Amino acid sequence: MVPPLRRLLFEPEPSGLHQVRGRAAEALGALGAFDVLADFLVSRQPIADPVERLGEEVVIGAAARAISRLREEWVFLLLAVLAAHRCISGVLAGLGSFHRKDSIGIFIDALGEDETRLTAETILCGFGRAARSALIAAALDRDNANRSENESQLRKRRSALGVLLEIGIPRKKWLVLRPLMEDSDRQIALLACRFCFQFGSGQDLARCATHLIDLRSGADWLECELIDELLKAIKSASLAD
């Protein structure tokens, strides 16, 4: 069974269809042919054609998930190297299944890429508080010497804050995140304001309300809805006090 599956995995059809090759990878994993999957993963080369590359990445992802069934150190190291150099959702999923803290940095980096963000966010949420320090560092990671950030860095910071909202932070960490209410990126500032509502003092909330009103100028309708909800909640909290 293994030799024909290996040929199918390594020698794609001219049509470029990747589904059959993905199933071949899954079958090889079920048969325990992890050496074949490893050979495949380390032999992959970058592909220039975007359509062909997309199909190849799906197959690589399937092979990575299949080989992750073998819980051995060399498999973890192989997937970690692949994920660090070639960010593919299936590779991240395979690596994430090991649930090892020393891989958290790889998932943090993947937050900046559209193709892998949702996978990375899910994995980081699974780490829970073990990922908290790395997520806080990512949210604060901005070179103040530069006047603008690239889009990938902004996506990473926004996503890190979003995951922190999901897993939660201790009250004392709010003081570290508080300056983000005045971040130049509106989305980051809004996420910080949500933390403020949870943990901020009365003075923090008053400052937050003023800043939210400023943020409303130029905000899109979804952001305006969030701003209005936060302002209403802050007002209700103030009246309750």
Side-chain angles (χ1 to χ4, degrees), residues 3-198:
L5 288 170
R6 178 190 173 96
R7 285 194 298 272
L8 186 59
L9 181 63
F10 277 79
E11 300 172 9
E13 291 292 324
S15 63
L17 294 175
H18 58 267
Q19 290 87 348
V20 175
R21 295 176 64 212
R23 293 194 188 98
E26 293 168 1
L28 286 164
L31 291 169
F34 301 115
D35 55 335
V36 175
L37 293 169
D39 288 345
F40 172 76
L41 289 170
V42 300
S43 69
R44 297 303 89 191
Q45 297 297 321
I47 296 174
D49 181 82
V51 176
E52 186 179 349
R53 182 172 64 247
L54 180 62
E56 184 73 3
E57 288 180 351
V58 171
V59 180
I60 291 171
R65 287 190 295 269
I67 200 173
S68 69
R69 297 172 60 168
L70 181 63
R71 299 297 194 196
E72 292 191 6
E73 180 71 10
W74 70 268
V75 177
F76 171 80
L77 293 174
L78 170 62
L79 294 176
V81 170
L82 285 172
H85 291 88
R86 194 170 182 179
C87 206
I88 297 172
S89 286
V91 177
L92 291 177
L95 180 65
S97 67
F98 282 81
H99 205 71
R100 282 182 44 169
K101 295 178 184 178
D102 50 348
S103 64
I104 286 175
I106 293 173
F107 304 118
I108 293 288
D109 288 340
L111 294 176
E113 304 302 323
D114 286 333
E115 297 82 0
T116 54
R117 185 179 310 110
L118 290 178
T119 300
E121 287 177 345
T122 300
I123 294 168
L124 288 166
C125 282
F127 277 104
R129 62 184 181 181
R132 188 182 288 147
S133 294
L135 287 163
I136 290 174
L140 298 170
D141 184 20
R142 179 177 181 181
D143 185 356
N144 292 324
N146 290 333
R147 303 186 90 184
S148 62
E149 298 175 87
N150 62 49
E151 190 59 31
S152 178
Q153 187 176 11
L154 281 172
R155 286 194 297 259
K156 182 166 125 178
R157 295 177 65 220
R158 294 166 186 158
S159 183
L161 281 172
V163 176
L164 283 169
L165 278 169
E166 288 290 325
I167 66 177
I169 62 169
R171 183 174 295 274
K172 63 183 179 180
K173 292 299 183 181
W174 154 243
L175 298 178
V176 179
L177 297 175
R178 183 167 58 185
L180 294 179
M181 284 199 299
E182 297 178 0
D183 196 273
S184 58
D185 181 76
R186 181 184 291 107
Q187 292 183 45
I188 289 173
L190 284 174
L191 286 164
C193 286
R194 291 175 66 183
F195 281 110
C196 182
F197 178 69
Q198 293 181 33

